[in-house]
Amino acid sequence: MSHENQNRYENQNRYENQDQYGNQDQNRYGNPYASLAGRTAVVTGAASGIGEAVAVLLAASGSRVALLARRGDRLESVVEKIRADGGEALAVVADVTDDASVDAAAARIREAYGNVDLVVNNAGVMLPNPVDDGRIDEWRRMLDTNVTGVLRVIRAFTGDLVGAAAGGRPADLVNVSSIAAHITFPNYGVYGATKAAVTYLSQALRIEFGPRDVRVTNVEPGLTETELATHLDNDELAGQLDGMFDAVGGLSAAELADVVAYATSRPRHVNLRQIMVLPTRQA
């Protein structure tokens, strides 16, 4: 074996036996995501659904987690559950459609936990209706939440992520998009367009952040049991969605959280950049 190949082999073994902090035997306590211990995470849309499940799993894996959403009472309930299970969590009432609200939330998180090294952009709304209904108010709400809201959160924490990576620590930005970014559904055109924007943004950000060792992961769920379905005010579309769940079955929020935890717990030189997660029958 050449000297070069020997070094490559030794380096590969070193990566396999260490977590992303360089700690040996990360699974010795039986937690597959033990390498997340000691990290500081922000999860938006954390009052329910995927965001709640991600926050709970990250905290159970040893991360300090700041939960962001508009519903303070619901956030406090989730935080109490996390703390009762021995985790560390902070409820931060914030609206991703408001610049000042996001900036204030970031300041509060840094005051409590210091700089952040893991951001999960999950907040979103789904308001499907025929385009010829002309519901500009709904279009603005989806664009401001699903696209500009994502950008506001990225702006608030980019410095933290870049700083963590420069210090040799893992740094992750996870954007929750949707299968609707690729597959068109009748009457979901504007929603799908906002998610396509998130998927494209994630791809573009890798070019900016990747050379600085910040990982960008884009997760695109298919049918998932969340509160998004309750946003529908169109009985016909609501019935169609119910029929899809009956025929195909949906993913649970916990199953999506498992995907996020897996991606962010890899060694820091490994980026699972694009993850499409569908129920088997939907695929």
Side-chain angles (χ1 to χ4, degrees), residues 9-259:
Y9 175 77
E10 289 175 353
N11 285 337
Q12 180 178 353
N13 284 344
R14 174 167 55 85
Y15 284 128
E16 288 175 350
N17 292 326
Q18 294 179 354
D19 68 11
Q20 57 223 77
Y21 291 106
N23 298 321
Q24 299 287 336
D25 301 322
Q26 68 172 5
N27 293 329
R28 65 186 181 278
Y29 297 117
N31 181 353
Y33 306 132
S35 61
L36 293 172
R39 298 190 64 178
T40 301
V42 172
V43 182
T44 69
S48 65
I50 295 171
E52 175 185 353
V54 168
V56 168
L57 182 53
L58 293 180
S61 300
S63 297
R64 294 178 295 273
V65 184
L67 291 78
L68 271 63
R70 292 177 300 171
R71 293 178 291 173
D73 55 343
R74 179 59 188 163
L75 280 180
E76 290 292 350
S77 176
V78 179
V79 165
E80 287 177 8
K81 178 170 66 175
I82 289 172
R83 290 174 178 169
D85 290 335
E88 189 172 355
L90 176 71
V92 182
V93 176
D95 183 351
V96 299
T97 69
D98 182 89
D99 295 351
S101 180
V102 173
D103 291 343
R108 184 182 174 197
I109 292 165
R110 292 190 189 100
E111 181 181 2
Y113 288 160
N115 289 340
V116 169
D117 57 45
L118 200 169
V119 175
V120 181
N121 257 319
N122 169 74
V125 292
M126 183 176 72
L127 305 169
N129 272 301
V131 170
D132 58 8
D133 279 4
R135 300 195 182 190
I136 295 178
D137 57 333
E138 292 183 350
W139 302 346
R140 286 175 176 154
R141 184 179 170 196
M142 284 189 284
L143 285 164
D144 206 18
T145 304
N146 299 357
V147 181
T148 313
V150 166
L151 287 166
R152 288 186 182 96
V153 173
I154 292 170
R155 183 189 68 168
F157 295 105
T158 291
D160 292 36
L161 295 175
V162 171
R169 304 191 306 279
D172 286 281
L173 170 64
V174 179
N175 293 326
V176 179
S177 179
S178 169
I179 186 60
H182 303 285
I183 299 177
T184 56
F185 299 93
N187 305 310
Y188 286 76
V190 178
Y191 172 75
T194 66
K195 290 303 185 178
V198 171
T199 292
Y200 180 87
L201 175 65
S202 298
Q203 182 176 350
L205 287 175
R206 287 186 205 103
I207 299 173
E208 297 186 33
F209 290 170
R212 290 180 282 177
D213 294 320
V214 177
R215 299 185 291 197
V216 179
T217 296
N218 191 65
V219 180
E220 296 176 338
L223 282 174
T224 305
E225 298 283 355
T226 72
E227 288 188 354
L228 283 182
T230 67
H231 297 168
L232 277 66
D233 67 355
N234 184 311
D235 291 341
E236 181 181 354
L237 293 180
Q240 291 174 1
L241 188 60
D242 288 342
M244 290 180 66
F245 275 105
D246 290 340
V248 174
L251 302 171
S252 70
E255 287 163 338
L256 266 298
D258 185 56
V259 170

